Amino acid sequence: MNPLLSIWSKPTKTLEYVLEKKSVGYGFFIFLLGSISTGIFSTATAGWFSGLPMFAIIFLSIASSYAGALLGWVIVSAMYTWIGKWLGGTGTFSDMVRVTPVATIPMIWLAPMNFLILAIYGSRLFEVPTENFGITNLPLGVYLLTNFISMGVGIYGTVISCKGIGLVHKFSAWRGLGVVAILMGIGIVLAIVFSLVIGMVIFSLFTTFG
């Protein structure tokens, strides 16, 4: 079985295969491919590397995306394991860390679209946008289409995550969805708290030195 292909037609069997047959090293490989596929857009419109040669921009974008993916892999796997046990699961971190990368496989197949856009628009992708409401340097139709496709693939990746969590914890994919929802809720709460803290710090600085 080739997980890169079977994930589309047999997601559950693919997850079982990866859990039983693949080592943690396979996760590094999957995230590398995913970073090559989507990492070229990780710094798009930020303007961080503007002025650098295209090769350097692409390399730095992929490298930063890969580093972030590896860090996220550990954190998300730990949270899936922890939250799953709240909901009655029996999975282990070592199993979860092998299954989690499978949800990234569909994103790898966005590579042809992303590389085509890179070939057409080149360095414009990495400049701070001045048109389209400051959102993107792409034509608005292209931007919406690519985001629609990416969103669809991302939703399928979430379905795979739910199935993988259920497989590891030995409960249903619906309860796996509950794990994902709880993690998202925790993330939203932390983001709100962080924003409030930053806002209070900035406000106190203005009132102190204003």
Side-chain angles (χ1 to χ4, degrees), residues 76-136:
V76 168
S77 296
M79 294 299 292
Y80 282 169
T81 305
W82 183 37
I83 296 171
K85 288 185 176 181
W86 290 358
L87 302 182
T90 58
T92 63
F93 175 76
S94 61
D95 284 344
M96 191 66 72
V97 83
R98 280 185 289 162
V99 165
T100 300
V102 179
T104 301
I105 293 177
M107 303 299 290
I108 295 171
W109 291 98
L110 292 175
M113 178 184 74
N114 292 337
F115 288 144
L116 178 62
I117 291 173
L118 178 64
I120 294 172
Y121 297 101
S123 60
R124 283 178 56 190
L125 291 173
F126 305 99
E127 298 172 358
V128 177
T130 56
E131 300 178 358
N132 294 326
F133 311 102
I135 298 174
T136 178

Side-chain angles (χ1 to χ4, degrees), residues 7 11-16 18-19 77 80-81 84 91-92 95-103 156-177 179-180:
I7 194 63
T12 301
K13 290 188 179 296
T14 300
L15 286 162
E16 293 171 350
V18 170
L19 181 59
S77 296
Y80 282 169
T81 305
T92 63
D95 284 344
M96 191 66 72
V97 83
R98 280 185 289 162
V99 165
T100 300
V102 179
Y156 184 59
T158 301
V159 172
I160 294 169
S161 291
C162 297
K163 289 179 176 290
I165 294 167
L167 175 65
V168 171
H169 280 299
K170 296 179 175 59
F171 52 46
S172 69
W174 285 108
R175 196 175 295 188
L177 177 60
V179 173
V180 173

Side-chain angles (χ1 to χ4, degrees), residues 26-40:
Y26 188 69
F28 285 91
F29 173 67
I30 292 300
F31 282 120
L32 177 60
L33 293 182
S35 297
I36 293 172
S37 173
T38 63
I40 55 177

